[in-house]
Amino acid sequence: MDDINVLHHRCLLNLRRRIRDIGDGHPAQDRCMRLQKDGDTLSYQGNSEEVGCYVAGHPLSKGNCYFEVTIVDTGVRGTIAVGLVPKFYRLDHQPGWLPYSVAYHADNGKLYNGNPVGKQFGPKCARGDRIGCGIHSENTEAGLTTVFFTKNGREVGSIEVPVSSEGLYPAVGMHSMGEEVKVDLRAEWLLEEDDTMMMVDSHEDDWGRLHDVRVSGMLLEYVGKGKSIMDVGLAQASQPLTTRCHYYEVEIVDAGEKCYIALGLARRDYPKNRHPGWSRGSVAYHADDGKIFYGIGVGDAFGPRCFKGDIMGCGIMFPRDYSLDGDGSVDVEDLGQLEGLPSQDGVQNVLYLNGEDEEEEEEEGDEVVQEQQGRKVTVFFTRNGKLMGRREMAVPPGGLYPTVGMLSSGEKVKVDLHPLSG
């Protein structure tokens, strides 16, 4: 009997939608400015100085209370906004900037509620992500409705906003060259009972910067074009390596088309479309050719190539008196878990480079210069628990951040930023 009721309900919804579309013979028209509409695809056609905006022809209602936007291309800046606006909203403003409008902005994860100044709301969104917007309930008498937003099918948050008798209309805003999205005005969304439980371990907070990379738990997936060297997808951790957390690992889950996967360390402001190791302030071990790249686009032979199932690791051997996080303490037995690390003959302790301390004490002037340029540490790489090699480098201001790069379709890796904590 329940199945019959569900089927009956769906038939009524379809009938209502057909009646709504037919109306009085004059179907409502979508409105857009500086955007090209091709079927369900919207692409920005402005000069990156002016906003382009799309407003659907029908408002959300109880029978059609949700829509989704899939990011096809983030363009130059990824300034894509998804939300609800009044019927005659100005098309030269982003949704959420003007009164009686609300929107979730992909480039910074902020919510704009009738104000050009946004408030932190959820994670940033990248190519391949789906941003949804809907209404939980509608109370026209009170003039209020609850608007909620989702990312990839999971609710991000909600807010109560005023609504006129005309209702709130789905809207999409863009503001830079190359931005492109697909709009599904008939999308459906159902909150599963255990959905909030699934969100607890999303791990998105572990990453400070994501470009053309999608996060799902500990899994990173490349969602870029993969057509040229400018299509690098980059994931950079939110925290640098320290004496307490000095090592991380990446397992290749899927090598994709070319296995253009790299792991390493980079400065905080590292270019988002450059593989780690290609530009200054970075070093990385590349899986496809086994080479190490140290701040330049030409690599040196370093270790074996890596394939699906291999685990690549990267860490730092800190000098004895080094302090970045305000606490120099560390469990020195942690790195003993890694097979093949340097013996007592080479380095007394993986974390502490004793051989350099006496020279630094003798030449205090050199030490001051070195501190101004960045203290030097030794970065090491592993493959399946065995040491591949080491490189000395200066630590840039703010530290060295775990950074993973990918560049070909289908690449997926599992990242453990704290493999020695357990």
Side-chain angles (χ1 to χ4, degrees), residues 222-252:
Y222 177 67
V223 293
K225 295 180 179 178
K227 296 180 179 179
S228 74
I229 62 172
M230 298 303 294
D231 295 328
V232 170
L234 194 79
Q236 187 174 68
S238 59
Q239 299 295 327
L241 290 190
T242 66
T243 54
R244 275 191 173 277
C245 181
H246 46 76
Y247 177 76
Y248 79 103
E249 288 183 335
V250 169
E251 178 183 353
I252 301 177

Side-chain angles (χ1 to χ4, degrees), residues 250-255 259 261 287 306-310 312 412:
V250 169
E251 178 183 353
I252 301 177
V253 176
D254 193 328
C259 198
I261 298 169
C306 300
F307 305 94
K308 180 178 179 180
D310 285 333
M312 306 168 69
K412 296 179 183 179

Side-chain angles (χ1 to χ4, degrees), residues 51-95:
V51 171
C53 186
Y54 161 85
V55 178
H58 296 281
L60 291 188
S61 63
K62 291 181 179 180
N64 185 28
C65 60
Y66 179 74
F67 76 103
E68 280 189 341
V69 172
T70 300
I71 300 177
V72 178
D73 198 325
T74 55
V76 177
R77 296 195 300 266
T79 45
I80 298 169
V82 177
L84 298 172
V85 301
K87 182 176 182 179
F88 297 108
Y89 191 78
R90 289 182 57 179
L91 300 180
D92 57 352
H93 283 66
Q94 285 275 30

Side-chain angles (χ1 to χ4, degrees), residues 73-364:
D73 198 325
T74 55
V76 177
R77 296 195 300 266
T79 45
I80 298 169
V82 177
L84 298 172
V85 301
K87 182 176 182 179
F88 297 108
Y89 191 78
R90 289 182 57 179
L91 300 180
D92 57 352
H93 283 66
Q94 285 275 30
W97 283 2
L98 297 179
Y100 304 105
S101 69
V102 61
Y104 180 22
H105 286 224
D107 60 316
N108 55 18
K110 290 184 177 181
L111 181 73
Y112 291 75
N113 183 18
N115 194 313
V117 179
K119 294 183 179 181
Q120 202 57 51
F121 182 67
K124 298 178 183 179
C125 301
R127 181 186 287 126
D129 285 332
R130 291 179 293 112
I131 303 175
C133 178
I135 51 177
H136 275 312
S137 61
E138 190 173 26
N139 188 343
T140 55
E141 294 181 0
L144 296 173
T145 188
T146 300
V147 176
F148 69 95
F149 293 90
T150 68
K151 180 186 177 186
N152 298 327
R154 295 180 180 177
E155 186 171 356
V156 176
S158 61
I159 185 171
E160 193 173 69
V161 300
V163 56
S164 68
S165 59
E166 294 180 337
L168 291 170
Y169 291 70
V172 179
M174 301 187 216
H175 202 179
S176 75
M177 293 295 294
E179 293 173 350
E180 185 175 312
V181 302
K182 284 189 176 182
V183 182
D184 184 0
L185 295 175
R186 300 177 182 274
E188 295 183 0
W189 178 79
L190 295 173
L191 178 63
E192 298 179 3
E193 293 183 0
D194 60 344
D195 189 59
T196 54
M197 296 294 291
M198 295 170 64
M199 294 178 64
V200 173
D201 296 324
S202 66
H203 290 271
E204 287 195 2
D205 291 342
D206 291 340
W207 301 98
R209 298 171 62 207
L210 292 168
H211 174 68
D212 285 348
V213 173
R214 179 189 299 160
V215 179
S216 178
M218 297 174 69
L219 192 73
L220 298 183
E221 178 183 0
Y222 177 67
V223 293
K225 295 180 179 178
K227 296 180 179 179
S228 74
I229 62 172
M230 298 303 294
D231 295 328
V232 170
L234 194 79
Q236 187 174 68
S238 59
Q239 299 295 327
L241 290 190
T242 66
T243 54
R244 275 191 173 277
C245 181
H246 46 76
Y247 177 76
Y248 79 103
E249 288 183 335
V250 169
E251 178 183 353
I252 301 177
V253 176
D254 193 328
E257 292 182 358
K258 302 291 185 180
C259 198
Y260 290 153
I261 298 169
L263 94 158
L265 301 172
R267 67 181 193 268
R268 181 167 47 192
D269 58 346
Y270 193 77
K272 66 180 182 180
N273 60 346
R274 299 281 289 172
H275 250 323
W278 283 1
S279 297
R280 66 177 180 83
S282 70
V283 61
Y285 179 21
H286 286 226
D288 61 308
D289 55 13
K291 291 183 178 181
I292 188 171
F293 289 75
Y294 186 22
I296 191 172
V298 179
D300 297 325
F302 185 68
R305 297 170 60 191
C306 300
F307 305 94
K308 180 178 179 180
D310 285 333
I311 298 176
M312 306 168 69
C314 178
I316 294 179
M317 303 175 186
F318 288 100
R320 174 179 293 176
D321 59 350
Y322 191 91
S323 179
L324 177 66
D325 58 351
D327 187 347
S329 61
V330 65
D331 184 357
V332 296
E333 294 181 358
D334 283 343
L335 285 180
Q337 300 174 21
L338 299 173
E339 182 182 357
L341 287 177
S343 65
Q344 296 292 331
D345 294 334
V347 180
Q348 293 298 320
N349 188 291
V350 163
L351 292 178
Y352 303 131
L353 308 180
N354 292 334
E356 299 177 357
D357 292 342
E358 295 180 0
E359 294 179 3
E360 291 179 356
E361 292 175 1
E362 293 175 359
E363 299 181 13
E364 294 181 0

